[in-house]
Amino acid sequence: MDSIKKGNLIYQGKAKDVFATNDPDRVIMYFKDDATAFNGKKHAIIEGKGELNLRLCKRIFEFLEDKIPMAYEKTISKREMLQKKVQIIPLEVVVRNKIAGSLAKRFGKEEGSDLPFPMVEYFYKDDALNDPEIIKNQIAAFNIASKREMRQINDMALKINTLLKYYLYVRGIILVDFKVEFGRYYDDILLADDITPDGARLWDIKTEAILDKDCFRRNLGDLIEGYNIIADRLGA
Ligand code: 5GP
């Protein structure tokens, strides 16, 4: 379709809004300046975050697009991205390379040590329940995704990790962990949503300085500074 026209708001997220378009198979994702943490309990507007996140996400998605089936198609403005309209599977798929964040907290571990192998965890997307962790048997029993879909999701998440870990490493950034979401599009499972430092822990390789949204979550300083460092290193 040549000219995409923005339609109604169909989903209001914490940092993004999703709009229908005149094409039933396409949506527009709008990146906002909102920063939230702790399930929305902490909130701020950080000027420029939406545009920066879109640039970073575009760079990462363009690197992945010939390697992973993706909903991403292109960016259409400084804050808007065109994606295939998928049916989101309500899981936050987290891949970890180091112990950090809720993994450290839940198991009483120090942050920062390497895991012996990449670890995939699943969380059920439900703000009212605080996104509880969910295991594969529960995912199947509750009909959230089939066992076959989960095999695909697990493989794709690990492949994204392998690709991104190296891509970032050679640019001086450690990929500590990240969250991805997947969606159904006809018979395919596609990487959906976004990948940005809002949903990934990214540390400087030399100093281990935090460059991601933990700056905001933990009041460690200017979030934009870290995001700009990542953008420079990625040429975004
Ligand atoms: P943790 O479970 O340690 O809090 O988070 C693991 C990884 O997933 C981190 O990179 C974090 O940014 C990301 N993550 C977890 N929950 C969410 C969420 O609700 N939204 C976003 N954007 N990222 C999340």
Side-chain angles (χ1 to χ4, degrees):
M1 186 167 294
D2 300 333
S3 92
I4 283 283
K5 290 191 184 64
K6 198 162 162 181
N8 294 332
L9 177 70
I10 52 175
Y11 171 79
Q12 191 155 31
K14 295 191 188 92
K16 285 184 319 282
D17 288 335
V18 181
F19 294 86
T21 69
N22 52 329
D23 179 344
D25 277 338
R26 303 273 181 296
V27 292
I28 291 173
M29 262 173 35
Y30 180 92
F31 287 62
K32 303 192 283 192
D33 282 343
D34 298 65
T36 63
F38 315 118
N39 197 8
K41 286 187 196 81
K42 181 171 178 181
H43 176 260
I45 303 284
I46 301 179
E47 207 176 315
K49 179 167 114 27
E51 283 190 22
L52 247 177
N53 262 346
L54 181 126
R55 276 164 49 201
L56 288 166
C57 187
K58 173 182 161 76
R59 195 84 181 106
I60 290 169
F61 278 177
E62 284 178 351
F63 164 67
L64 291 176
E65 75 186 331
D66 57 346
K67 305 167 186 79
I68 300 283
M70 301 190 10
Y72 171 76
E73 294 203 332
K74 59 181 178 180
T75 57
I76 55 174
S77 77
K78 285 185 168 183
R79 283 176 184 271
E80 291 169 312
M81 183 178 275
L82 190 69
Q83 290 205 358
K84 293 188 182 69
K85 184 179 184 180
V86 298
Q87 181 202 15
I88 288 281
I89 297 168
L91 294 174
E92 295 195 338
V93 181
V94 171
V95 186
R96 302 180 187 271
N97 297 303
K98 279 181 178 287
I99 297 178
S102 77
L103 182 69
K105 211 167 171 183
R106 279 177 282 143
F107 295 96
K109 303 258 182 212
E110 286 262 326
E111 285 200 313
S113 37
D114 287 331
L115 289 162
F117 48 81
M119 178 188 286
V120 185
E121 291 180 325
Y122 303 99
F123 297 86
Y124 180 50
K125 261 175 77 82
D126 188 323
D127 282 345
L129 299 174
N130 250 326
D131 300 342
E133 191 175 3
I134 185 165
I135 62 169
K136 283 185 184 168
N137 270 338
Q138 294 163 334
I139 294 170
F142 299 155
N143 264 325
I144 295 166
S146 69
K147 292 203 168 169
R148 184 168 165 271
E149 286 176 329
M150 287 313 293
R151 276 195 297 276
Q152 269 178 279
I153 286 173
N154 190 76
D155 290 352
M156 278 165 76
L158 285 172
K159 185 170 172 190
I160 293 165
N161 182 53
T162 304
L163 291 163
L164 272 190
K165 196 162 69 171
Y166 180 74
Y167 176 80
L168 292 166
Y169 183 85
V170 297
R171 290 163 178 82
I173 297 170
I174 303 171
L175 178 61
V176 174
D177 57 34
F178 63 98
K179 183 266 298 179
V180 274
E181 295 181 27
F182 295 89
R184 300 185 183 96
Y185 184 76
Y186 296 90
D187 292 332
D188 295 325
I189 299 280
L190 305 181
L191 171 65
D193 195 49
D194 63 18
I195 299 180
T196 72
D198 280 8
R201 289 199 169 88
L202 304 168
W203 295 353
D204 179 83
I205 223 162
K206 288 209 186 90
T207 64
E208 297 203 339
I210 291 171
L211 306 173
D212 57 76
K213 203 173 83 175
D214 273 350
C215 276
F216 171 74
R217 295 189 188 99
R218 303 177 185 188
N219 298 318
L220 296 175
D222 184 9
L223 172 148
I224 294 292
E225 215 173 276
Y227 284 34
N228 269 322
I229 292 173
I230 302 167
D232 278 352
R233 300 214 185 144
L234 268 51

